[in-house]
Amino acid sequence: MSLKTLTKLYRVAKGDEKVERAWELVREAARYSNHEPYWEFLKKSFDVYAEDIKEALRFLEEKGELQIKRSTDGRRLYVSTLKDIKENPVRLDRWLGLTSEKRFTK
């Protein structure tokens, strides 16, 4: 699905579906995180504004789904967070939690 479509679906979603849609949007946006300048690339290529992606990231952070990286002065590093999601789609601690649950359910 295109980023524009995912953005629209995220905006209209409610409840648990909103979390799923936010993840879809963030993962799709992370695919292009190596293009510089990132926000201009999204606007030019997909007609998606930076605020749409940032809003989804902040929403997921509020829900406890992810943690946005911060600089030393406390500013949020959205693109660095997206690059990290692209390189490491599942965090090690989450993966270990998923595998340990399977191991003990037998």
Side-chain angles (χ1 to χ4, degrees):
M1 228 181 277
S2 73
L3 275 175
K4 188 72 169 174
T5 306
L6 289 172
T7 302
K8 290 178 182 179
L9 290 173
Y10 165 71
R11 286 185 193 154
V12 298
K14 303 276 188 221
D16 291 336
E17 183 187 0
K18 189 164 184 126
V19 174
E20 292 174 26
R21 296 294 182 186
W23 269 118
E24 289 176 15
L25 176 61
V26 167
R27 285 188 182 115
E28 185 65 24
R31 291 180 58 203
Y32 307 102
S33 60
N34 290 330
H35 294 275
E36 295 292 335
Y38 180 69
W39 302 118
E40 287 82 13
F41 171 78
L42 287 184
K43 174 66 179 142
K44 213 180 333 176
S45 301
F46 302 103
D47 197 30
V48 173
Y49 294 97
E51 196 56 38
D52 297 331
I53 307 299
K54 290 177 181 180
E55 179 185 340
L57 284 166
R58 286 190 298 260
F59 174 75
L60 289 172
E61 186 176 46
E62 288 172 11
K63 293 290 184 179
E65 295 283 324
L66 65 83
Q67 184 175 2
I68 298 173
K69 290 185 174 188
R70 309 250 180 205
S71 66
T72 54
D73 62 355
R75 295 181 60 184
R76 292 180 176 133
L77 302 173
Y78 296 103
V79 178
S80 295
T81 304
L82 289 171
K83 286 180 181 178
D84 191 41
I85 290 170
K86 179 182 178 185
E87 294 169 4
N88 305 309
V90 177
R91 290 273 181 211
L92 180 60
D93 54 348
R94 186 170 160 219
W95 181 80
L96 288 173
L98 292 173
T99 57
S100 65
E101 289 173 12
K102 289 179 185 175
R103 191 175 347 151
F104 294 116
T105 58
K106 290 183 179 179

